[in-house]
Amino acid sequence: MARATHTTEASGTSRPGPRHHGNRHGRSEEARLAVLHAADGLLVEKGFAGVTMEGIATRAGVAKQTIYRWWSTKTDVLMDAFLQDVAEDLTARDSGDTARDLRVYLRELAWFLSASDPGAVFRALIAQAQHDPVFAQEFRSRYLDEQRRRDRRLLERAVERGELPPDLDLTAETDQLMGPVYYRVLVTDGPVGKEFTDRLVDAFLARHGLTAKS
Amino acid sequence: MARATHTTEASGTSRPGPRHHGNRHGRSEEARLAVLHAADGLLVEKGFAGVTMEGIATRAGVAKQTIYRWWSTKTDVLMDAFLQDVAEDLTARDSGDTARDLRVYLRELAWFLSASDPGAVFRALIAQAQHDPVFAQEFRSRYLDEQRRRDRRLLERAVERGELPPDLDLTAETDQLMGPVYYRVLVTDGPVGKEFTDRLVDAFLARHGLTAKS
Amino acid sequence: MARATHTTEASGTSRPGPRHHGNRHGRSEEARLAVLHAADGLLVEKGFAGVTMEGIATRAGVAKQTIYRWWSTKTDVLMDAFLQDVAEDLTARDSGDTARDLRVYLRELAWFLSASDPGAVFRALIAQAQHDPVFAQEFRSRYLDEQRRRDRRLLERAVERGELPPDLDLTAETDQLMGPVYYRVLVTDGPVGKEFTDRLVDAFLARHGLTAKS
Amino acid sequence: MARATHTTEASGTSRPGPRHHGNRHGRSEEARLAVLHAADGLLVEKGFAGVTMEGIATRAGVAKQTIYRWWSTKTDVLMDAFLQDVAEDLTARDSGDTARDLRVYLRELAWFLSASDPGAVFRALIAQAQHDPVFAQEFRSRYLDEQRRRDRRLLERAVERGELPPDLDLTAETDQLMGPVYYRVLVTDGPVGKEFTDRLVDAFLARHGLTAKS
DNA sequence: GCCTAATCGAGACGGTACGTCTAGTCTTATA
DNA sequence: TATAAGACTAGACGTACCGTCTCGATTAGGC
């Protein structure tokens, strides 16, 4: 899914692998990972303003030109770093119990957004998206669209089980369910603990005539 | 409330005002407004990255030192510009019809966030808040807290009318109602038209056993 | 004569003088001198390739922008440094004895070109002039033309004394007299000691029927 | 004599020659010539600053590594290009008439230095020699010494004919004769036409009691 | 009607990071 | 074994802004 995120070298075998420092078979995997880790580290340690191309290069032990060869901006690097770390992480379980799955998932989402390291990167990328529509579009097509598809799956499974009517606007329902969590994290800095997420889930269940089993 | 936001000069009279380029009676109202307009204009015309202290100074015909004397950062200038323009704009009407008021208000909110010029500044400030906790805190205390108090008023009036139970967590209810609009604007770029905002209001009304009058 | 070479501050008084670190009265004399000395020092210590804008800035304790504000290239800096040091140095004495004056002057010229620190800068500037016609023109109008006028004075005085015919092409005579010294320094690396310079002077004297008095 | 200047491939036959892009028969003559022509072309078209290893490689359709394998610097390439073109060009004729030969030769020299394409390369190399003593030494041993030997030949023939005394310092005499031409070309940008070169020759002839036949 | 103090426009200053360019080294596949 | 291709580290280039500073001019208010 993610551009420049996987490689044919890294798979399976435990051979040390070739030490490309530049050759005709494309980029150095070593340099790529050093850049992504450096960007990640700088963001966590010094905040967004502390992430600079110059700083990434120095910390990664890489030439600036190597960064510019593969990425266009520091937010582009951060996006790759983010995708590398979390692309597949936030996926809802399917226990057969819709209410339970929703509660667990919203709690995981809230933790991810408000407390995890990748969540900090996510917030930085969302911030950048406010300033730069082109970046926003790329972030959506490289991560958000996929993530929202995963979010939807929760409700789709409930439709499949016959718990929700088949003609429901699942996109709107999902946004209505998850939106308040994003709002509190990005805007109000309000608490997004179990109390709040469960309230959102309960409202959703009630809205559709479902009762929590627990 | 806001530092550096009002002055004793601006009051009442319609005289052209003195042309002091330096005096001992405090700051120049002329310079203050020129700076705020310049910052606003640059943001609208060139985007956030196009707003620089240097650029503001040039466009406002003001010395950089004058800006630094009264503001600390460019986002501080933008915040003042934002407050100057919109501080009081987004206030819900009170028609006595809760359902109607909610629908109107959410539509206004959606328009403000997604389509207005001040909304663009708001999004830039929210973005900055992601990068800078100190700024975030200041933005909340200078605008967001007040705005959320206005948002709450809508529900408080319904409580006063006996339409909602008095022990309701109004903060959580407000966030649940408004959050999805912010989410779509800031994150998904999804549509926030009448269809979506009315759906949010309807869900709220149904949740509390209220029926729309229309 | 030289642009940016003198200042109104430095004259006469022993007051410490104001410590401009940037003000509306124009440039900082302190910074100007630091840049010129740094450039000079780098050339002498590390050779022409060791002179970089970055290096000058660092050694001078000055911002790069300050250099670019007043000079356009590193050779422009070197030219100013050269002019600062030697503009008036190479002037022939007038003892009344043409032969003696010529001999002394050519020896001084040879020493200047081949052995002095400013001579090293001169050779670097002549080198740059080969690569860049615009620079060549500026170097001529800022130094060489003046220097050649001083060279000519030697012969003009002989004309005034009636030792040389008044219709002589003094430019050509001067070039014929001095040229071989430059040739050996710039091209062949041959010796330019007393033996060689005296030979040039003797040939000149003989050519015009003058006899050396010594 | 010159390193990297001849090859065993180029000899004799008029066959189109093998197209080895990688072989085990030593270096590619094709690549060598492409590099020299590219360097030459870049110097003439874009000036010295426009000659870069990268540019030469691109224009020659050659890998940078191939250049570095056979040459150490761009001036080394230019020197080879220069030698390839002009090594033997500037040789004085021997008509038996010393005065005539001198006049013709100095005119050719002046034209070569000031107006020819190889002359432009020569000036670039002399410039580089000012900056880099090692290069200067190599340039002398690879070209200048040989050229000065050819220059001397003119005077040696006059000695052989008995026109000049056998104990003359021919090196000094040659430098005295030619030096002013180099001086005007490299330093003053003065005219080096027939008038000037003839004046130099006449002075030389008069100095040694020779009379021009024409 | 001076003197004083605060603020103004102007702009030079020491810095940091930008994004680009070229240098010179290295690795690989091809011939 | 030499080649074309091209990725790599390194570091200078010239530019844009940052935030600080110093200055002369302007303008009340206090003397």
Side-chain angles (χ1 to χ4, degrees):
Chain A
M1 178 186 71
R3 172 174 65 97
T5 295
H6 65 289
T7 159
T8 53
E9 300 278 357
S11 53
T13 73
S14 53
R15 282 180 299 114
R19 284 218 164 256
H20 310 317
H21 269 282
N23 58 44
R24 69 182 313 181
H25 303 297
R27 67 196 295 189
S28 155
E29 178 66 5
E30 205 175 348
R32 193 188 130 260
L33 289 174
V35 167
L36 297 184
H37 291 149
D40 247 344
L42 285 172
L43 186 80
V44 169
E45 287 174 24
K46 308 211 265 173
F48 185 76
V51 182
T52 65
M53 288 301 224
E54 209 110 57
I56 295 171
T58 302
R59 184 192 256 243
V62 143
K64 273 202 299 180
Q65 186 56 48
T66 297
I67 304 183
Y68 282 107
R69 195 164 12 241
W70 303 109
W71 295 277
S72 56
T73 61
K74 71 176 186 176
T75 41
D76 196 25
V77 177
L78 284 172
M79 178 147 56
D80 261 18
F82 175 72
L83 293 172
Q84 176 91 1
D85 290 353
V86 269
E88 312 286 332
D89 279 13
L90 213 59
T91 307
R93 268 170 276 176
D94 182 5
S95 69
D97 179 345
T98 301
R100 177 185 196 80
D101 287 354
L102 285 175
R103 286 203 186 87
V104 168
Y105 185 64
L106 254 74
R107 238 173 293 159
E108 284 176 356
L109 172 67
W111 177 84
F112 166 76
L113 288 177
S114 65
S116 71
D117 273 1
V121 183
F122 177 85
R123 277 177 277 134
L125 297 176
I126 283 292
Q128 179 59 21
Q130 307 309 314
H131 295 147
D132 181 349
V134 173
F135 175 84
Q137 183 49 45
E138 201 184 345
F139 187 40
R140 279 187 209 107
S141 68
R142 293 237 270 142
Y143 173 71
L144 278 175
D145 291 348
E146 183 63 28
Q147 179 58 39
R148 297 184 75 213
R149 233 168 284 136
R150 282 195 292 273
D151 294 350
R152 259 177 85 105
R153 280 297 298 147
L154 262 170
L155 305 197
E156 282 170 356
R157 289 199 294 258
V159 172
E160 286 160 11
R161 285 188 208 106
E163 297 172 354
L164 294 176
D167 60 341
L168 211 57
D169 180 343
L170 291 188
T171 299
E173 289 292 334
T174 310
D175 294 352
Q176 201 169 343
L177 183 60
M178 318 262 175
V181 178
Y182 285 87
Y183 175 55
R184 284 207 161 173
V185 169
L186 297 175
V187 181
T188 74
D189 198 34
V192 287
K194 187 177 187 312
E195 194 181 359
F196 185 63
T197 54
D198 281 356
R199 161 194 285 267
L200 296 175
V201 174
D202 289 344
F204 175 83
L205 296 174
R207 179 154 75 247
H208 299 292
L210 299 175
T211 318
K213 287 173 188 170
S214 63
Chain B
M1 173 187 74
R3 173 174 62 97
T5 294
H6 64 288
T7 156
T8 54
E9 302 274 356
S11 52
T13 73
S14 53
R15 284 179 296 115
R19 274 213 168 264
H20 32 246
H21 274 276
N23 60 46
R24 56 184 308 184
H25 304 293
R27 68 194 295 189
S28 155
E29 177 67 4
E30 204 176 349
R32 193 189 130 259
L33 289 174
V35 166
L36 297 184
H37 292 150
D40 247 343
L42 285 172
L43 186 79
V44 169
E45 287 174 26
K46 309 209 266 175
F48 184 76
V51 182
T52 65
M53 287 302 226
E54 211 114 55
I56 293 170
T58 302
R59 183 192 257 240
V62 142
K64 275 201 305 180
Q65 187 55 45
T66 299
I67 305 182
Y68 283 107
R69 188 151 29 225
W70 304 108
W71 294 275
S72 58
T73 63
K74 72 175 186 176
T75 40
D76 195 27
V77 177
L78 284 172
M79 179 148 57
D80 260 18
F82 174 71
L83 293 172
Q84 174 94 358
D85 291 353
V86 271
E88 311 288 330
D89 279 13
L90 212 61
T91 306
R93 267 170 279 176
D94 182 5
S95 68
D97 180 345
T98 301
R100 179 185 194 81
D101 288 354
L102 286 175
R103 285 204 185 89
V104 169
Y105 185 64
L106 254 73
R107 238 175 291 161
E108 284 176 357
L109 173 66
W111 176 86
F112 165 77
L113 288 177
S114 65
S116 72
D117 272 3
V121 183
F122 177 84
R123 277 176 276 132
L125 296 175
I126 284 291
Q128 180 59 21
Q130 308 307 313
H131 295 147
D132 181 351
V134 173
F135 175 83
Q137 183 49 44
E138 200 183 345
F139 187 40
R140 278 186 210 107
S141 69
R142 291 238 270 145
Y143 173 71
L144 277 176
D145 292 347
E146 183 62 29
Q147 178 58 38
R148 297 183 74 214
R149 234 168 283 136
R150 284 195 290 273
D151 294 350
R152 256 175 89 104
R153 279 299 298 147
L154 262 170
L155 305 197
E156 283 170 354
R157 288 198 295 257
V159 173
E160 287 160 10
R161 287 188 208 105
E163 296 172 355
L164 293 176
D167 61 340
L168 211 56
D169 180 344
L170 290 189
T171 300
E173 288 293 332
T174 310
D175 293 353
Q176 199 169 345
L177 182 60
M178 318 265 176
V181 179
Y182 285 87
Y183 176 55
R184 283 206 162 174
V185 169
L186 296 175
V187 181
T188 74
D189 198 34
V192 287
K194 186 177 190 311
E195 194 181 1
F196 185 63
T197 54
D198 281 356
R199 160 193 285 266
L200 296 174
V201 173
D202 288 345
F204 175 83
L205 296 174
R207 180 154 74 245
H208 299 292
L210 301 175
T211 320
K213 289 175 185 166
S214 64
Chain C
M1 178 187 71
R3 172 172 64 97
T5 294
H6 65 288
T7 160
T8 54
E9 302 277 357
S11 51
T13 73
S14 52
R15 282 178 300 113
R19 285 219 162 257
H20 310 318
H21 268 283
N23 58 44
R24 70 180 315 181
H25 303 299
R27 66 196 297 188
S28 154
E29 178 67 4
E30 206 175 348
R32 193 189 129 257
L33 288 174
V35 167
L36 297 184
H37 291 150
D40 247 344
L42 285 172
L43 187 80
V44 169
E45 288 173 25
K46 309 210 265 173
F48 184 77
V51 183
T52 64
M53 288 303 223
E54 208 108 61
I56 294 170
T58 302
R59 182 192 259 242
V62 143
K64 274 203 296 180
Q65 187 55 49
T66 297
I67 305 183
Y68 283 107
R69 196 164 10 238
W70 303 109
W71 294 275
S72 55
T73 61
K74 70 176 185 176
T75 40
D76 196 26
V77 177
L78 284 172
M79 177 146 59
D80 261 18
F82 175 71
L83 293 172
Q84 175 91 1
D85 291 352
V86 271
E88 312 286 333
D89 279 14
L90 214 59
T91 307
R93 270 170 275 175
D94 182 6
S95 69
D97 181 345
T98 301
R100 177 184 195 82
D101 286 355
L102 286 175
R103 285 204 185 89
V104 168
Y105 186 63
L106 253 75
R107 239 174 290 160
E108 285 176 355
L109 173 66
W111 177 84
F112 166 76
L113 288 177
S114 65
S116 72
D117 273 1
V121 183
F122 177 85
R123 276 176 277 133
L125 296 175
I126 284 292
Q128 180 58 21
Q130 308 307 313
H131 296 147
D132 180 349
V134 173
F135 174 83
Q137 182 50 46
E138 201 184 344
F139 187 40
R140 278 187 210 107
S141 68
R142 291 238 271 143
Y143 173 71
L144 278 175
D145 292 348
E146 183 62 29
Q147 179 58 40
R148 297 183 74 214
R149 232 168 284 136
R150 282 195 292 270
D151 293 349
R152 256 177 88 105
R153 280 298 298 147
L154 261 171
L155 304 197
E156 282 169 355
R157 287 199 294 256
V159 172
E160 287 160 10
R161 285 189 209 108
E163 296 171 355
L164 294 177
D167 61 340
L168 210 57
D169 180 343
L170 291 187
T171 299
E173 288 292 334
T174 310
D175 292 354
Q176 200 169 342
L177 182 60
M178 318 263 175
V181 178
Y182 285 87
Y183 176 55
R184 284 208 162 172
V185 169
L186 296 175
V187 181
T188 74
D189 199 33
V192 288
K194 185 177 189 310
E195 193 181 2
F196 185 62
T197 55
D198 280 357
R199 161 192 284 267
L200 295 175
V201 173
D202 290 343
F204 174 82
L205 296 174
R207 178 155 76 246
H208 298 292
L210 300 175
T211 320
K213 288 175 189 168
S214 63
Chain D
M1 175 186 74
R3 173 173 65 97
T5 295
H6 65 288
T7 156
T8 54
E9 301 275 357
S11 53
T13 73
S14 54
R15 284 178 297 115
R19 278 216 165 260
H20 33 247
H21 273 276
N23 61 43
R24 53 190 309 182
H25 309 291
R27 72 190 294 189
S28 156
E29 176 67 3
E30 203 176 352
R32 194 188 129 258
L33 289 174
V35 167
L36 297 184
H37 291 150
D40 246 344
L42 284 172
L43 186 79
V44 169
E45 287 174 24
K46 308 209 266 173
F48 184 77
V51 183
T52 64
M53 288 302 225
E54 212 116 61
I56 294 170
T58 302
R59 184 192 256 242
V62 141
K64 275 200 308 180
Q65 187 55 45
T66 299
I67 305 182
Y68 282 107
R69 192 157 18 235
W70 304 107
W71 294 275
S72 57
T73 62
K74 71 174 186 175
T75 39
D76 195 27
V77 177
L78 283 173
M79 178 148 58
D80 260 19
F82 174 71
L83 294 172
Q84 175 92 359
D85 291 353
V86 269
E88 312 288 331
D89 278 14
L90 211 61
T91 306
R93 268 171 279 175
D94 183 5
S95 69
D97 179 344
T98 300
R100 178 184 195 81
D101 286 356
L102 285 175
R103 286 203 185 88
V104 168
Y105 185 64
L106 253 74
R107 238 174 292 161
E108 284 177 356
L109 173 66
W111 177 85
F112 166 77
L113 287 177
S114 65
S116 71
D117 272 1
V121 183
F122 177 85
R123 276 177 277 132
L125 297 175
I126 284 291
Q128 180 58 22
Q130 307 308 314
H131 296 146
D132 181 351
V134 173
F135 174 83
Q137 183 49 45
E138 200 183 347
F139 187 40
R140 279 186 210 108
S141 69
R142 292 238 268 145
Y143 173 72
L144 277 176
D145 292 348
E146 183 62 29
Q147 179 57 38
R148 298 185 72 214
R149 234 168 282 137
R150 283 195 291 273
D151 294 349
R152 258 175 86 104
R153 279 297 299 146
L154 261 170
L155 304 197
E156 283 171 353
R157 288 199 295 256
V159 173
E160 286 160 11
R161 284 189 208 105
E163 296 171 355
L164 294 177
D167 61 341
L168 211 57
D169 180 343
L170 291 188
T171 300
E173 288 291 334
T174 310
D175 292 353
Q176 201 170 344
L177 182 60
M178 317 264 175
V181 178
Y182 284 87
Y183 175 55
R184 284 205 162 174
V185 169
L186 296 175
V187 181
T188 74
D189 199 34
V192 287
K194 186 178 189 309
E195 194 180 0
F196 185 63
T197 53
D198 281 357
R199 160 193 284 265
L200 296 174
V201 173
D202 290 344
F204 175 83
L205 296 175
R207 180 155 74 245
H208 299 293
L210 299 175
T211 320
K213 288 173 186 170
S214 65

